Each structure stands twice: as structure tokens, then as C-alpha cells.
């Protein structure tokens, strides 16, 4: 049952009547849920619900979207909104002094919005004085700085507007690497030296130390022209582009070698500052030229303190002779404090509040009209989108998708695109101009890029575009790169697409391709036709030769038996190859055409029963079950979004019949009695990105929110969960995990402050801390209790697994330390009998440990089939199987009958990339996974069950044309012949 809306405050004046009108309009429309309204309008649920809450006046764009979704009269509601705005602010919204006509002032805004602060903005850059001083001191001592921080933590701003001005007499070179970092570096150096970039690029490619010599040449030239400069300051922003955009490993390594040598080589005249997203730290450790320098060069950018946030809000306004309303300052500080990646959202919200200022005051009403810290960015983006006609909206979609680099085990990032890659049509030009004017995009003479990656996270419409078909976007991106290479090599025919790549590219929508990409595909198709014609001519010659050889058939009668056997062998091998190729195609089809994919996979398995065809069949059945959020049932046959669990942190009780999913501002409970048709139950307040866990009986749910508060809910009635208590954990770092002892009386929390805390939750209304466990040398990540409740296992970034005796949780003690992992330990699971521990690590492996006779322990099997970080591990309740998942998108099932020699059971592939979590649902082997994009999939590995269930998932039998495409030259035998 959806929770009812809060009563309106009759003393709210005009806002009471406005909100009451919106609620009445929703009643007349049949009370659609706010999730349904959000899907229709592309505004967030919180934004729409607050519009009818009566606490603040929503923007006109949000109001009209709400009215449109409920079937109301937009012209009438525009007048109602204007009257309410007049009554609330005392301004005339119709004459240009209200919120919708706020952009008339030509004054320079004191806030940068989504864009990073530049060196010219240093006078308005506040709040990072302590960090800036530390970075300046670091650069003076060590000359090389690698600055790590989350997206939106302010890395670019602190370098450009904080550190660079601290070296006023030092010339600077600021650039981003792009897809060709050596070439970009050569162009920038050549421009400073007044020489051609070609020789500089050739020199850097042949010898990275050329960078150091070019710096000396630049400085020597400046000495002749004016006051002497002793050194050059080089800032490489968005360094993660060397991984997301640059595909040449050797160029990447040479670029890094050049930077490090320029800063640390003998007689260095260069200071180098590199800004890189923290989730690319592991990628940096794989660069030989950088890994040795990292221990002494890296510095983190943490979140701003409350005092620093207040300075960042108030001081720029004061410099512009503006005031910040105290209620606004309190609200902004509370909204942004402790929130990862909040700085660009805060800056954008302040910029929009400044545009809605009243006189020289920034007000809370203006901030709320802008949409708040969460809604301001999506509101700006939606206003930009709503102002476009249909043709330009399609152009906007194509443009923004082209400007996103799809993550490979990491979050999506922005992509800097050369202008020549874009179509030169009037729609694209208009969209680019309007998006740049709205500060959503940044354009210069040669390139276009999204102003900040926060737009990718916070604009629901862009997120929906990206999620619709990530595989298609990857194929489109590969086509773009291939067309670029083709043109750079003077249209060399050897670089054209052929075979499978050409067939996949032809499936891309033609309207989304640029003229250059269409020319590349046309040339590829022409080359393919020529090749086919050559093959036909060769076949005709072979047939004539075969006719001549037929005369010799009489002489071959004795060899007929052998020939028949050889033909049978060739036929069998051909059919096997066709089946294996069809199995691969079925996996590719499964996210978009699940019914067809199941039939192709089933046909391939019946043709040749191998591990590869078995895994393909299991893949198609699993992926077709539950996918990410979607607007409604389509040709893929997926259930609508309100029947689809989604979120980032799952929790499952021992019986596996209820699923809790933390999804930002709430936790949603689902009935998983039939995992193929989950049924939504109740909701509770959320925990942000914090962990959650059930007690074993499933009656109580625990969670720790992003502020470190321990929360407990009574979920005995999952339709109506009830908050029991909340209290601060007093951890000084982020709380990564929470675990509950099987008896439900004790809980444990693991934190980035390197400690574990034990809690008495026997009275859920009054949780008490029992003990604090110390000993790990770095962040504590997973914690898990043993099945008997007497031990607790913990994993850490110090690479160790520790096992604690918690028989008396008031006096817990260390029993054993398991060493052997070469990197962070991210996941742990006990076997049901408590004799074995399974751990997953950043070193791309999972390990099995024999802990049956503690403190003695030993390593058992090593599970090493992943190619990236192992993020989750789980044992089935019977203990005979286990599952490991990872950033590589692979779901590996293992037979644990002999734990000294675990055997691969199934190799499954998640089509949406990174898998973050895995949980078993019940004893029959069903389990679920959660991706980095918060979608949920249900899996099982029983091939007998798969063969029984397969045709139940089919909505129409495979046609003859489809069969011929995937099983050429094989007799048409539809695996599910009847219609469903």
C-alpha cells in the first residue's frame, strides 16, 4: 500500500490552496502513484511529491509537468501558478520580475554552477583554504601531485582556482588527456614553444623525456621575451580519460612516463598536478610509470566540513555584496554536508538561487523554487529539453549520448568530443547553442563536452537514455572510432567493417549516425558486396571443376564409405560451429529480445550440449526474468517498473521470501515467494548508500545511513514496516557493512575508521554498543557472523581477513588472521556448516579458507576466473554451491562438493556490466544479483529446470526467417513450436 500524503497546513496561505488544487487534480486522475508520474514527466519522485506538499512553490516547469501528467488544463494552471507566485513573493510574475524571468540581470554570478572554478574565478573560490595550503606545500616539496577524489568533490576547482594562483609567477599548462594524450600534450607544448606539433609528437612517441627538454625550450624562449620564469606548472585534469577514452596502452604508458620524468627527473623544471577520480585508483596502480610514484605523490580530496561549506556559500555572495538568508544557509549546509559528489550540485543550486534572488538577498524561497540541491540540475535540464520541438529533442538525445563514455566496471563519465565528429545540421547546432547557454555543455573552438559528470547522475532522462540499450551505444561508439581511423588513413579499405561487426553496425538506427559514420558503413557494405561477388565467381569456377571431376567418380566407388563418414564429420562440425555462434548471439539478444533469445539458446543447446551452450541458455532465462526499471511492457516482454525491484543494497532473511532494496531515500520490501513475479510490499525511510541487513527470523531490519546512524525497523508486517529506533554509531568514517548474529541479539558494523563495533539489539528500541574491535590497519569493509554466532569475520583494505571470538560480545578477542590476498578484501561468506570461509578481493580472486579448527587455519581452493575486482560472494543454504560476482560483469557459479578443488558450475554474463552484490533467495539454488546501475536479475543454474521452464518464457515461436539467420543451412525445427 502506498503511504498517504501528509496533511496540508491551513496556515500556509496561498501555498495551501495551490497544493490542495494539485492534490484534487491527482484525485480526479485516479490517484496515479508518484512513481508513475515521475515516469511520465521525467522529474524525480521527491520533486513531484514536494510540489503538492504545500511547503514551497514549485517551479512553473514542474507545475505544468505535474498538471500535464494528470490531464489538467495547462493554461489555467499557468495563471494559478502566477497568482500564487505573486502572493508568495510580492512580485509580478507576468511582467518579468518573478521566478520565470529571473535571467535579466547582467551581473557576474558569484557561483560557477556545474563548471569548475577557473584561475580567473579565484576571488570567488572559498572553503578549500586548508586543502589548498596542503597541496601547495606538497608541490613545493615533491613537484608531483596525484589528486584523487570522487566525482563532484571539487578536484578541478581546487587545482585551477586554489593551487595555480598560489604560484603567480609560474606559467601554467592546463589540459585534459582525451583519446590521444601524447598528441594533446604535443599540441599544447608546441603552441607554447611556437613550433609545429608534428615533430614534438614524434619526439614524445619515440622518447618520453622529450617533454622535459620541451619545457626547458619554452622557459628559455620566455626568458628572451620578458622576465625570467624558472619553471612550468602542468595540470592534467580528468586524468581518468587515459583509461576511458585512450585505447592505446603504449601511448598511455608513454604519456605517464613523460609526466613523471618531467616532474622527478634530474634538473626538473616542471611541477605536475594530476586530478583523477578515486574509482580509477586501481587503474592507476597498473601503470608501471606511475605506481612507484603514487605512495609519495597521491593526496585525497575529502568532503567539505560544515564550516567549509558555509564559507563556500556565504563568502562568494559577500564579495558580490549579496546576503544569504540564514534559513537558506542552514538548509544548504544540511543538504550538502556528508553527501558524496555534492559540490557541483550545490554550486548549480546556488547559481539558480542567485538568478531567483530578491534584491540583494539569496532566499530559501528562491532555492526551493529552483528545485533544491537534488532537483535544480534536473529541473534546468528538463526546462532545456521541454523548450525543444520533437526533431530537436531527438538531436539532443543523440548529442548527449555521444558525450558520455560508458563505464567498463566504473561509473559512466563525460567524453570530450571533437566538433567534426558531430553532424553539422541546423538541429544539432541549435541544440548545442541552447545547451551551452544553459551551462549543460561546454564548447570551445574544437571540442564539446558535458559541463560536469553530475549531470549524468542527476538527470533522470539522460540516465534512462543510457539504460535503454547500453550495448547499442557501445556498438555506436566503436563505429565512431572505426570511422575516425578510416578517415585518418585516407579511407583505407582494410579498415572497413566486415562480417559480424558490419551486421551489428547495420542494426544501429540510421537517424542517429553522422554523415561520416554513414559514409563508413556505405563503404563497408559496398566492400562486402564486392567480396560476395568474388566469392560467387570463385564458387562458379569450383562448380565447373566439380563437374569435370565427376567423371572420376567411378574410380572413387571404393572410397565411398570413407567419403560418407567424412561428410558426416564435416556436417557435425559445421552444425556444432553454427550452434556455438547461435549461443553467443542468444546472449547478445537477451536484454532486448528475451523471447527470441531463449529459443535461439534452446535450439543451440539441443544441437550441441556443451558448457558454452548450457551457459548461454541459463543466461537468457535469467536475464529475461527481471531487468532494470522500464516505462512499461514492450517488445522485450519485461514487467513494468512497479513490479521490478531496483536499488543498490539488497538484504534477504534466512527463508529468502522477502527482499529489501535500499534505493536512496527509501527502502522497499518485496515478496519473493515467486522470484519471477516479485510483489511490492511496504517502504521505510532510506539509508542513502548505507548497508542494510535482516535478523535471521526476518522480523527486524537494520541499516546504517550515510551519516553513520544505526536504524532499526519492525518488519513483522512487511506491508507496514515501523521504525523502532535510531542512534549514532559514533564511527568516524563511512560505515561499509552491517551484520546480525543468527540469534538476532547482536549486530556488528564495519567502518572506514578501521574499527568494528558490536551492538546489543536484544531490545530493538534501545540498541547499545557492547565493544569496539581494533587491529585492522585500513578501512574495514565486510563483516559477517558465523552460523553458530560464536565468531565474526572481517575483511579490510589492509588485505587481511580477521576472525574474532564474539562468544561474549562485551569482551571479543582476535582468534586468527588470514593472509594471502594481494589487495583489498571486499566480500566474505561463511559456509552453512561454519567450517569454510569464502573471501573476494580486488586482486581478482576469491579464496576458500579451512577454519574448522581455529585458531589453526589453512587456504583451500583459489577461485580465479574473474578479470577484475570480486565484489560479492555467497554460499547456497545447502553449502554445495557458491557464487562469485565482479566488476567484470561475470557471475560464476561453483560446485563446492570438494572445497579443496572447487569446480566451475556455470559461467554467466550480466549484460549490464558491473555486478556489485549477490544474495541467495532459497534452497533451490535461486539467487539474485544487483548491478552498478541498480538493476536486479534473478538466476539459477539447474539445467534440467532450465529445459523444463524455457518454453514458458516464450511469447511467439521463432519464424523461419529468424531460424535461417541464426541457424543457416539447418532444418527448421522451432524448439517451442506452439504459440504462447
Amino acid at each position: 500500500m502506498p503511504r498517504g500524503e501528509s496533511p496540508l497546513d491551513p496556515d500556509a496561505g496561498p501555498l495551501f490552496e495551490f497544493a490542495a488544487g494539485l492534490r484534487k487534480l491527482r484525485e480526479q486522475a485516479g490517484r496515479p502513484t508518484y512513481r508513475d508520474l515521475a515516469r511520465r514527466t521525467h522529474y524525480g519522485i521527491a520533486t513531484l511529491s514536494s510540489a503538492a506538499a504545500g511547503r514551497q512553490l514549485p517551479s512553473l516547469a514542474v507545475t505544468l509537468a505535474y498538471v500535464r501528467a494528470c490531464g489538467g488544463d495547462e493554461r489555467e494552471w499557468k495563471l494559478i501558478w502566477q497568482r500564487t507566485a505573486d502572493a508568495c513573493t510580492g512580485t509580478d510574475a507576468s511582467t518579468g520580475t518573478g521566478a520565470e524571468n529571473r535571467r535579466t540581470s547582467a551581473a557576474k554570478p558569484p557561483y560557477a554552477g556545474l563548471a569548475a572554478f577557473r584561475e580567473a574565478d579565484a576571488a570567488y573560490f572559498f572553503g578549500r583554504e586548508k586543502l589548498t595550503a596542503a597541496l601547495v606545500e606538497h608541490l613545493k616539496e615533491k613537484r608531483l601531485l596525484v589528486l584523487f577524489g570522487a566525482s563532484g568533490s571539487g578536484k578541478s576547482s581546487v587545482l585551477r582556482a586554489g593551487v595555480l594562483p598560489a604560484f603567480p609567477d609560474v606559467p601554467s599548462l592546463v589540459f585534459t588527456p582525451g583519446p590521444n594524450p601524447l598528441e594533446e600534450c604535443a599540441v599544447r607544448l608546441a603552441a607554447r614553444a611556437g613550433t609545429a606539433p608534428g615533430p614534438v609528437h614524434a619526439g614524445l612517441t619515440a622518447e618520453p623525456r622529450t617533454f622535459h627538454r620541451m619545457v626547458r625550450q619554452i622557459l628559455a624562449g620566455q626568458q628572451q621575451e620578458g622576465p625570467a620564469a624558472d619553471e612550468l606548472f602542468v595540470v592534467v585534469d580528468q586524468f581518468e580519460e587515459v583509461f576511458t577514452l585512450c585505447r592505446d596502452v603504449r601511448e598511455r604508458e608513454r604519456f605517464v612516463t613523460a609526466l613523471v620524468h618531467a616532474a622527478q627527473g634530474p634538473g626538473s623544471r616542471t611541477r605536475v598536478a594530476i586530478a583523477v577520480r578515486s574509482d580509477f585508483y586501481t587503474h592507476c596502480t597498473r601503470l608501471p610509470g606511475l605506481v612507484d610514484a603514487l605512495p609519495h605523490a597521491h593526496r585525497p580530496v575529502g568532503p567539505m566540513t560544515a564550516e567549509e561549506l558555509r564559507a563556500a556559500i556565504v563568502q562568494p555572495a559577500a564579495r558580490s555584496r549579496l546576503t544569504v538568508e540564514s534559513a537558506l544557509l542552514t538548509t544548504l549546509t544540511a543538504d550538502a554536508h556528508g553527501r558524496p559528489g555534492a559540490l557541483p550540485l550545490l554550486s548549480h543550486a546556488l547559481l539558480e538561487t542567485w538568478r531567483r534572488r530578491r534584491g540583494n538577498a539569496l532566499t530559501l524561497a528562491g532555492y526551493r523554487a529552483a528545485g533544491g540541491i537534488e532537483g535544480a540540475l534536473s529541473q534546468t535540464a528538463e526546462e532545456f529539453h521541454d523548450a525543444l520541438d520533437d526533431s530537436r529533442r531527438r538531436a539532443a538525445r543523440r548529442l548527449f549520448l555521444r558525450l558520455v563514455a560508458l563505464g567498463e566496471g566504473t561509473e559512466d563519465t563525460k567524453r570530450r568530443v571533437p566538433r567534426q565528429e558531430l553532424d553539422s545540421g541546423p538541429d544539432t547546432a541549435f541544440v548545442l547553442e541552447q545547451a551551452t547557454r544553459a551551462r549543460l555543455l561546454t564548447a570551445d573552438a574544437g571540442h564539446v563536452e558535458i559541463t560536469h559528470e553530475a549531470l549524468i547522475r542527476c538527470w533522470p532522462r539522460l540516465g534512462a537514455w543510457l539504460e535503454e540499450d547500453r550495448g547499442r551505444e557501445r556498438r555506436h561508439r566503436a563505429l565512431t572510432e572505426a570511422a575516425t581511423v578510416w578517415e585518418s588513413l585516407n579511407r583505407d579499405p582494410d579498415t572497413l567493417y566486415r562480417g559480424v561487426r558490419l551486421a551489428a553496425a547495420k542494426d544501429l538506427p540510421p537517424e542517429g549516425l553522422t554523415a561520416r559514420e554513414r559514409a563508413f558503413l556505405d563503404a563497408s557494405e559496398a566492400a562486402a558486396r564486392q567480396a560476395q561477388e568474388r566469392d560467387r565467381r570463385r564458387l562458379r569456377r569450383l562448380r565447373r571443376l566439380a563437374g569435370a571431376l565427376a567423371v572420376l567418380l567411378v574410380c572413387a566407388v571404393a572410397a565411398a564409405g570413407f567419403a560418407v563418414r567424412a561428410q558426416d564429420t564435416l556436417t557435425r562440425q559445421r552444425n556444432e560451429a553454427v550452434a556455438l555462434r547461435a549461443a553467443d548471439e542468444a546472449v547478445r539478444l537477451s536484454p532486448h529480445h528475451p523471447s527470441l533469445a531463449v529459443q535461439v539458446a534452446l535450439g543451440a543447446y539441443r544441437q550441441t550440449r556443451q558448457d558454452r551452450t548450457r551457459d548461454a541458455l541459463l543466461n537468457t532465462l535469467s536475464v529475461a526474468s527481471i531487468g532494470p526499471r522500464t516505462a512499461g511492457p514492450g517488445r522485450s516482454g519485461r514487467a513494468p517498473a512497479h513490479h521490478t525491484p531496483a536499488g543498490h543494497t539488497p538484504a534477504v532473511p534466512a527463508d529468502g521470501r522477502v527482499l529489501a532494496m535500499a534505493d536512496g531515500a527509501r527502502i522497499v520490501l518485496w515478496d519473493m515467494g515467486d522470484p519471477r513475479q516479485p510483489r511490492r510490499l511496504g517502504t521505510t525511510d532510506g539509508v542513502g548508500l548505507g548497508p542494510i541487513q535482516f535478523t535471521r527470523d526476518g522480523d527486524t531490519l537494520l541499516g546504517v545511513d550515510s551519516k553513520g546512524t544505526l536504524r532499526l525497523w519492525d518488519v513483522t508486517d512487511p506491508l507496514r514496516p515501523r521504525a523502532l529506533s535510531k542512534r549514532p554509531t559514533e564511527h568516524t568514517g563511512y560505515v561499509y557493512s552491517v551484520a546480525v548474529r543468527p540469534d538476532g541479539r547482536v549486530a556488528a558494523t564495519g567502518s572506514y575508521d578501521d574499527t568494528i563495533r558490536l551492538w546489543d539489539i536484544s531490545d530493538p528500541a534501545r540498541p547499545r554498543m557492547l565493544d569496539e574491535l581494533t587491529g585492522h590497519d585500513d578501512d574495514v569493509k565486510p563483516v559477517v557472523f558465523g552460523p553458530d554466532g560464536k565468531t565474526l569475520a572481517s575483511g579490510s583494505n589492509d588485505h587481511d581477513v580477521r576472525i574474532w571470538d564474539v562468544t561474549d560480545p562485551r569482551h571479543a578477542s582476535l582468534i586468527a588472521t588470514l593472509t594471502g590476498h594481494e589487495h583489498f578484501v571486499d566480500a566474505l561468506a561463511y559456509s552453512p556448516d561454519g567450517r569454510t570461509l569464502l573471501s573476494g578481493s580486488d586482486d581478482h580472486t576469491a579464496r576458500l579458507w579451512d577454519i574448522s579448527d581455529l585458531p589453526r587455519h589453512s587456504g583451500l581452493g583459489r577461485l580465479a576466473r574473474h578479470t577484475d575486482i570480486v565484489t560479492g560472494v555467497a554460499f547456497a543454504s545447502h553449502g554445495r554451491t557458491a557464487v562469485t560476482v565482479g566488476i567484470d560483469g561475470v557471475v560464476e557459479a561453483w560446485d563446492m562438493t570438494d572445497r579443496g578443488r572447487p569446480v566451475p558450475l556455470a559461467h554467466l554474463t550480466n549484460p549490464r556490466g558491473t555486478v556489485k552484490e549477490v544474495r541467495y533467495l532459497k534452497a533451490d539454488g535461486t539467487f539474485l544479483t544487483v548491478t552498478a546501475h541498480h538493476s536486479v536479475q534473478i538466476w539459477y543454474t539447474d539445467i534440467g529446470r532450465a529445459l523444463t521452464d524455457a518454453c514458458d518464457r516464450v511469447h511467439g515461436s521463432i519464424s523461419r526467417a529468424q531460424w535461417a539467420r541464426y541457424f543457416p543451412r539447418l532444418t527448421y525445427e522451432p524448439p517451442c513450436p506452439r504459440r504462447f
Side-chain angles (χ1 to χ4, degrees):
M1 293 291 291
R3 184 174 57 190
E5 293 180 297
S6 301
L8 294 174
D9 181 5
D11 297 328
L15 289 178
F16 171 81
E17 297 179 1
F18 184 84
L22 286 180
R23 292 189 180 189
K24 182 178 180 181
L25 186 64
R26 179 169 164 246
E27 289 282 352
Q28 293 170 347
R31 284 191 62 80
T33 67
Y34 278 110
R35 183 179 293 278
D36 289 336
L37 294 181
R39 192 165 56 247
R40 298 174 194 172
T41 64
H42 297 285
Y43 283 104
I45 295 173
T47 301
L48 294 171
S49 61
S50 64
R55 294 188 294 271
Q56 65 187 54
L57 181 66
S59 70
L60 179 58
V62 171
T63 301
L64 296 182
Y66 189 112
V67 171
R68 189 162 52 248
C70 293
D73 187 332
E74 293 184 48
R75 287 180 298 178
E76 177 187 357
W77 273 93
K78 185 173 182 180
L79 295 174
I80 294 173
W81 183 91
Q82 290 173 335
R83 288 198 301 270
T84 307
D86 294 345
C88 290
T89 64
T91 61
D92 185 357
S94 64
T95 60
T97 58
E100 289 302 301
N101 297 282
R102 58 190 178 277
R103 296 179 173 84
T104 57
S105 173
K108 174 180 172 60
Y111 305 102
L114 291 179
F117 282 86
R118 299 162 299 176
E119 192 171 0
D121 302 320
Y124 294 92
F125 184 65
F126 292 93
R128 286 295 196 185
E129 292 80 5
K130 182 178 178 181
L131 176 61
T132 299
L135 298 182
V136 170
E137 189 64 28
H138 175 102
L139 279 165
K140 287 180 178 178
E141 292 180 2
K142 301 179 181 179
R143 308 187 72 86
L144 174 64
L145 168 67
V146 184
L147 192 63
F148 287 96
S151 176
S153 61
K155 304 180 295 297
S156 301
S157 295
V158 77
L159 286 180
R160 295 173 185 242
V163 175
L164 278 180
F167 295 87
D169 299 324
V170 178
S172 61
L173 196 66
V174 183
F175 65 96
T176 57
N180 304 106
L182 273 183
E183 180 180 339
E184 185 70 23
C185 187
V187 169
R188 301 303 182 105
L189 287 173
R192 280 300 186 99
T195 185
V200 180
H201 184 211
L204 286 173
T205 302
E207 174 51 70
R209 292 177 175 82
T210 302
F211 193 112
H212 176 58
R213 292 195 288 270
M214 283 299 303
V215 171
R216 294 179 60 189
Q217 180 180 339
I218 292 169
L219 297 176
Q222 290 182 349
Q223 287 176 353
Q224 295 174 4
E225 296 174 4
D230 294 328
E231 55 190 15
L232 180 70
F233 198 145
V234 177
V235 175
V236 184
D237 202 1
Q238 298 172 35
F239 184 75
E240 60 270 11
E241 289 183 354
V242 302
F243 304 107
T244 60
L245 301 183
C246 178
R247 302 301 180 190
D248 189 335
V249 175
R250 295 184 64 188
E251 179 173 5
R252 183 186 305 159
E253 292 178 350
R254 286 170 176 162
F255 175 63
V256 171
T257 301
L259 290 176
V260 173
H261 179 266
Q264 296 188 333
S268 170
R269 306 282 297 279
T270 312
R271 300 186 192 275
V272 177
I274 297 172
V276 58
R277 267 182 25 194
S278 54
D279 53 332
F280 284 85
Y281 182 90
T282 303
H283 295 68
C284 291
T285 62
R286 298 172 191 159
L287 294 173
L290 191 58
V291 67
D292 291 336
L294 274 179
H296 308 291
H298 88 282
R299 296 295 293 263
V301 177
M304 296 177 77
T305 65
E307 287 299 324
E308 289 173 333
L309 284 171
R310 281 192 280 271
I313 296 167
V314 173
Q315 295 298 332
R319 186 169 288 275
S320 297
R321 298 184 179 179
L322 300 171
T323 61
V324 178
E325 195 175 74
S326 58
L328 171 61
L329 178 60
T330 301
T331 301
L332 282 169
T333 305
D335 288 349
H337 187 237
R339 177 173 179 168
L343 295 185
L345 302 179
L346 173 65
S347 186
H348 181 76
L350 281 165
L351 177 62
E352 292 300 308
T353 304
W354 174 81
R355 288 172 174 162
R356 295 166 171 80
R357 64 191 182 279
R358 188 166 56 206
N360 68 338
L362 275 62
T363 65
L364 181 60
Y367 170 68
R368 288 176 171 168
I373 196 168
E374 292 186 351
L377 180 53
S378 62
Q379 182 170 308
T380 298
E382 280 301 308
E383 289 175 355
F384 151 77
H385 185 268
D386 290 345
L388 304 175
D389 58 28
D390 290 343
S391 174
R392 288 169 175 169
R393 287 179 182 178
R394 290 191 292 270
R397 173 175 177 150
R398 294 193 296 269
L399 175 62
F400 277 89
L401 287 176
R402 192 176 289 271
L403 296 175
V404 177
L406 301 176
E408 298 284 356
T410 59
E411 292 183 356
D412 299 333
T413 58
K414 64 179 183 176
R415 175 173 176 256
R416 197 161 181 255
V417 171
R419 278 183 179 264
Q420 61 264 30
E421 184 179 312
L422 307 177
D423 260 338
S424 56
D427 284 348
T428 300
F430 180 85
V431 169
L432 179 58
E433 178 184 353
Q434 296 303 313
T436 305
R437 187 171 297 174
R439 294 198 176 190
L440 301 174
L441 300 182
T442 301
D444 56 28
H447 294 82
V448 179
E449 63 181 336
I450 290 174
T451 303
H452 198 280
E453 287 164 356
L455 184 66
I456 302 174
R457 301 193 307 269
C458 296
W459 188 15
R461 186 184 297 274
L462 178 55
W465 290 343
L466 289 167
E467 283 301 314
E468 277 186 17
D469 194 342
R470 299 181 71 82
R472 183 177 66 190
E473 289 305 318
R474 293 186 194 280
R475 296 198 300 275
H476 192 175
R477 202 59 43 78
L479 172 63
T480 301
E481 295 176 0
T484 302
V485 171
W486 177 60
E487 285 200 337
S488 69
L489 297 177
N490 295 321
R491 302 198 169 194
D492 184 347
D494 288 342
T495 62
L496 294 171
Y497 271 178
R498 289 175 174 81
V500 175
R501 289 198 300 171
L502 177 58
K506 287 167 65 176
D507 288 339
L508 296 173
E511 64 274 9
L513 305 180
T514 63
R516 180 173 60 176
E517 293 162 355
R518 285 193 292 270
F520 174 79
L521 277 184
D522 291 344
S524 296
E525 290 187 282
R529 286 193 297 270
Q530 292 174 1
Q532 289 173 354
E533 181 60 32
R534 286 195 300 270
D535 290 342
R536 280 195 293 269
R537 289 197 298 268
R538 188 181 301 111
L539 182 60
R540 285 195 295 269
R541 288 196 297 269
L542 290 174
R543 285 174 178 169
R544 287 194 293 270
L545 179 60
L549 292 176
V551 178
L552 302 176
L553 182 60
V554 176
C555 303
V557 172
F562 173 79
V564 169
R565 288 193 298 272
Q567 181 63 36
D568 289 342
T569 301
L570 290 173
T571 300
R572 186 172 62 254
Q573 291 175 344
R574 180 203 67 187
N575 293 351
E576 182 177 321
V578 168
L580 293 176
R581 188 162 54 247
D584 293 340
E585 284 293 311
V587 175
R588 186 180 68 82
L589 283 170
S590 58
H592 322 297
H593 306 282
S595 178
L596 176 60
V598 168
Q599 295 180 81
V600 173
L602 186 56
Y605 183 77
R606 289 178 176 174
Q607 186 65 45
T608 175
R609 301 198 171 194
Q610 297 186 10
D611 290 350
R612 193 159 143 197
T613 55
R614 178 205 62 197
D615 291 345
L617 179 57
L618 292 173
N619 257 305
T620 57
L621 290 174
S622 300
V623 173
S625 302
I626 296 183
R629 298 164 188 255
T630 175
R635 60 181 180 179
S636 66
R638 292 196 182 104
H642 60 277
H643 292 310
T644 301
H648 47 72
T649 305
V652 179
D655 61 13
R657 295 195 170 273
V658 177
L659 167 68
M661 292 294 297
D663 190 10
R666 64 187 175 186
I667 298 173
V668 184
L669 300 176
W670 298 85
D671 180 354
M672 302 299 287
D674 180 358
R676 305 298 165 182
Q677 295 181 348
R679 184 169 60 89
R680 182 168 172 162
L681 301 171
T683 62
T684 73
D685 293 338
V687 294
L689 296 176
I692 58 175
Q693 188 60 271
F694 279 102
T695 55
R696 186 176 183 83
D697 58 13
D699 291 341
T700 306
L701 180 66
L702 289 80
V704 181
D705 63 24
S706 56
K707 295 182 180 179
T709 302
L710 179 66
R711 295 168 173 251
L712 290 91
W713 295 272
D714 180 349
V715 290
T716 307
D717 180 0
L719 288 171
R720 299 173 182 82
R722 180 171 56 88
L724 294 173
S725 63
K726 60 180 179 179
R727 63 150 293 165
T729 61
E730 298 177 7
H731 280 295
T732 59
Y734 172 71
V735 178
Y736 184 92
S737 57
V738 61
V740 184
R741 201 165 71 176
D743 63 5
R745 301 177 65 84
V746 177
T749 53
S751 167
Y752 279 11
D753 63 6
D754 307 350
T755 70
I756 304 159
R757 296 194 174 203
L758 299 177
W759 302 87
D760 180 355
I761 58 169
S762 55
D763 181 358
R766 296 177 181 81
R768 296 183 299 108
M769 194 179 82
L770 298 173
D771 197 6
E772 183 181 76
L773 311 185
T774 60
H776 280 294
D777 297 329
D778 208 335
D779 302 339
V780 175
K781 283 190 169 177
V783 292
V784 58
F785 282 96
D788 60 2
K790 296 179 180 179
T791 60
L792 174 77
S794 60
S796 167
N797 284 356
D798 62 11
H799 308 181
D800 293 344
V801 177
R802 293 182 175 239
I803 300 181
W804 312 81
D805 182 352
V806 292
T807 307
D808 180 359
R810 294 177 180 80
H811 304 287
S813 60
L814 180 65
I815 304 175
T817 301
L818 315 184
T819 61
H821 278 299
E822 300 172 359
H823 218 300
F824 304 161
V825 179
D826 292 316
L828 292 172
Y830 274 92
S831 63
D833 60 10
R835 299 169 62 86
T836 308
L837 187 68
L838 177 59
S839 58
S841 168
D842 280 27
D843 62 13
H844 306 178
T845 71
R847 289 177 178 264
L848 285 164
W849 309 87
D850 182 354
I851 56 171
S852 58
D853 188 20
L854 291 171
R856 288 188 293 179
H857 60 275
S858 61
L860 295 172
R862 182 171 175 266
L863 316 182
R865 300 189 76 192
H866 288 277
T867 60
D868 210 325
I869 298 170
V870 178
T871 54
V873 298
F875 269 101
S877 59
H878 49 63
R880 296 188 299 275
T881 59
V883 176
T884 61
V885 301
I887 280 182
D888 54 7
V890 171
V891 178
E892 293 281 358
W894 303 87
D895 183 342
M896 292 291 176
T897 305
D898 181 355
R899 293 179 189 171
R901 294 183 179 85
V903 178
L905 189 63
H907 176 84
L908 309 175
T909 303
N910 191 315
R912 297 185 175 274
T914 298
V915 185
K916 289 287 193 180
E917 304 277 357
V918 58
R919 300 287 188 275
Y920 267 92
L921 290 177
K922 49 187 180 180
D924 66 357
T926 304
F927 59 94
L928 65 83
T929 60
V930 181
T931 72
H933 297 282
H934 303 176
S935 62
V936 174
Q937 281 81 38
I938 303 294
W939 312 78
Y940 56 82
T941 56
D942 183 348
I943 189 62
R945 177 179 172 186
L947 293 171
T948 302
D949 292 352
C951 288
D952 294 337
R953 312 292 175 79
V954 174
H955 304 296
S957 185
I958 186 171
S959 68
R960 288 183 177 273
Q962 291 170 328
W963 179 271
R965 178 177 180 182
Y966 297 106
F967 300 95
R969 295 191 291 175
L970 296 188
T971 303
Y972 176 56
E973 295 178 353
C976 303
R978 65 188 181 87
R979 303 288 295 184
F980 287 85

